[in-house]
Each structure stands twice: as structure tokens, then as C-alpha cells.
DNA sequence: CAGGATCCCCGGCGATACTG
DNA sequence: CAGTATCGCCGGGGATCCTG
């Protein structure tokens, strides 16, 4: 809180955190889990048609081990697994929200131009 | 503003915007340009030692053509070029800031664990 | 339904050398 | 100083088939 802002010191810590979000799909997935949404594997698949099963499970697993995503297993005869954000993942919401607003600005920009 | 929030419709626009930030270096570079900083090519090189000239110029060019970064050329005998954010790039600041705060949470998390 | 295992491609990225 | 040009790796990512 009382830290002096220098681009280099900040970027140092940030670069580590950014690696967690690196990859083509991480942020896209997070946006779908945004707002406390619990989604099943198949729901995520349908929500992101362009992703393959392999990439979906791979990215989910990575984010899980990074502590961003949590996996909720319901032991049922037809297996049911839901994915959601951890508390720390929820802490990303302000950032995701700001990104969302920024994306909207782009839309206006393009239609207004 | 009056738009109904649905993950899918939002993610649709977001995915486009995310492409602009995709890549290993984009966000790192943006963090250095954060706050209206004007940095020279060589300054960016030193600020991000791990990046190569090729990647630096490539990412800068892409962001420039995406309207996020602006390039200021000073016609001098020793060439001098500065890079900064465009207005639209500045609009990313809240998002970058939120990301920064999130990165800090991670630090605390790790030291507290 | 939710994932694992495999094979393979392509392009992001790195290293090095050169130029205005 | 601020880039270009070229070559090549290697791993992220895609497609497809298989299993508990």
C-alpha cells in the first residue's frame, strides 16, 4: 500500500502474475466464469465453440493449480463437474470488468469512426 | 450502458479486444507505458531485458496499428523515437491498475502461506 | 459426461547479423 | 539509435480417437 510506484519494480511482480493469464484461452474462460458463474465442462465447451476439449481441460487444470479456478465434482452416475472461480480468482473481477469496459469503448470507436 | 449482461454477448466483443493484448509481451510493454510514460526504444529494451529487438518492435508495431500505442518520431541526427499510449490506450489504465492490485494480492498470498 | 492419449502442424518467438 | 532481414526451434495449440 505504501509502496513507491516504479514501473520496473511493479512490472517485476506483474510479469509473474501475467504468466498465469498467458495463453490464448485463459482470459476467455475467466470471462465466462465471471460473476461467480458455475459452469459445467460441456457448458464451457458450448460457450466457447472455437476451443477444443484438450485446450479447455488443459487451461482449466493450469488455472486450477494456479489457484484461480476451482473444480467442484458431484459424484453422480452421469459425472458432473462444475468450474468456478476461487476467492483469489474473484479478485480478478475488477480487472475483468475494466477490460470489459475497454472492449466496449472499442465497439463505440469502430461504429463512430 | 443499458446493455443486458450475458456472458456470451459480452465474451463475443471481449474476445476481439483480447486479441489485441495477446502475446507474451504486449501487457508487459503496456505496463511500462502505463501512466503516460514516454519511453524511447532503447529505454524499453533496458526496461525489459528479456525481450529481443525483433519482438519489441513487432509488438509495438502491432499495438500501434491497433491504435493502442503511438509512435513519436523526433527528426534528429541521432534518431530518437518515443512510444506512449494513445487516448484509447490510456483507457486501459483502470484495467492495468486492477491487474496490478491483483498481482499484489498474489505476493501477499505467497508470503502469508 | 468428462476427460485422457497421441500425433502433428504451424507460427510465435529467439538469436544473430546487418543497415540508414 | 532505431530499426530490418533471415533462419530455425520448439512448444502451444488443433484434430482425432479412446476410456471410466
Amino acid at each position: 500500500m505504501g509502496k513507491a510506484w516504479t514501473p520496473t519494480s511493479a512490472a517485476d511482480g506483474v510479469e509473474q502474475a501475467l504468466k498465469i493469464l498467458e495463453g490464448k484461452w485463459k482470459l476467455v474462460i475467466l470471462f465466462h466464469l465471471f460473476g461467480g458463474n458455475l459452469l459445467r465442462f460441456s457448458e464451457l465447451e458450448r460457450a466457447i465453440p472455437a476451443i477444443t476439449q484438450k485446450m479447455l481441460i488443459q487451461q482449466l487444470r493450469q488455472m486450477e493449480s494456479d489457484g484461480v479456478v476451482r473444480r467442484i465434482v458431484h459424484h453422480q452416475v452421469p459425472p458432473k463437474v462444475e468450474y468456478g472461480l476461487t476467492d483469489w480468482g474473484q479478485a480478478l473481477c475488477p480487472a475483468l470488468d475494466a477490460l470489459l469496459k475497454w472492449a466496449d469503448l472499442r465497439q463505440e470507436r469502430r461504429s463512430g469512426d
Side-chain angles (χ1 to χ4, degrees), chain A:
Chain A
M1 188 70 65
K3 280 184 235 154
W5 159 262
T6 69
T8 20
S9 73
D12 181 46
V14 164
E15 293 193 34
Q16 306 307 317
L18 287 184
K19 288 186 183 172
I20 296 177
L21 306 178
E22 236 172 60
K24 198 176 176 181
W25 301 108
K26 299 270 182 72
L27 285 177
V28 179
I29 294 174
L30 286 179
F31 268 105
H32 285 276
L33 266 25
F34 190 39
N37 267 5
L38 284 188
L39 292 179
R40 305 183 56 170
F41 187 83
S42 54
E43 289 177 318
L44 280 170
E45 270 191 283
R46 273 185 289 110
I48 315 173
I51 202 174
T52 61
Q53 293 189 331
K54 173 189 165 187
M55 289 316 297
L56 181 54
I57 191 62
Q58 179 179 299
Q59 305 297 301
L60 282 172
R61 286 280 149 90
Q62 281 183 225
M63 299 182 98
E64 188 193 356
S65 84
D66 283 332
V68 177
V69 162
R70 61 190 234 269
R71 193 163 169 272
I72 304 125
V73 182
H74 304 265
H75 293 281
Q76 303 178 353
V77 181
K80 178 177 178 180
V81 180
E82 290 181 313
Y83 292 91
L85 299 179
T86 63
D87 285 349
W88 188 47
Q90 294 283 354
L92 257 174
C93 283
L96 296 181
D97 197 42
L99 237 32
L100 209 55
K101 288 192 174 65
W102 183 70
D104 277 350
L105 277 182
R106 177 161 171 277
Q107 306 280 19
E108 298 169 15
R109 212 171 115 88
R110 291 165 63 87
S111 52
D113 187 24

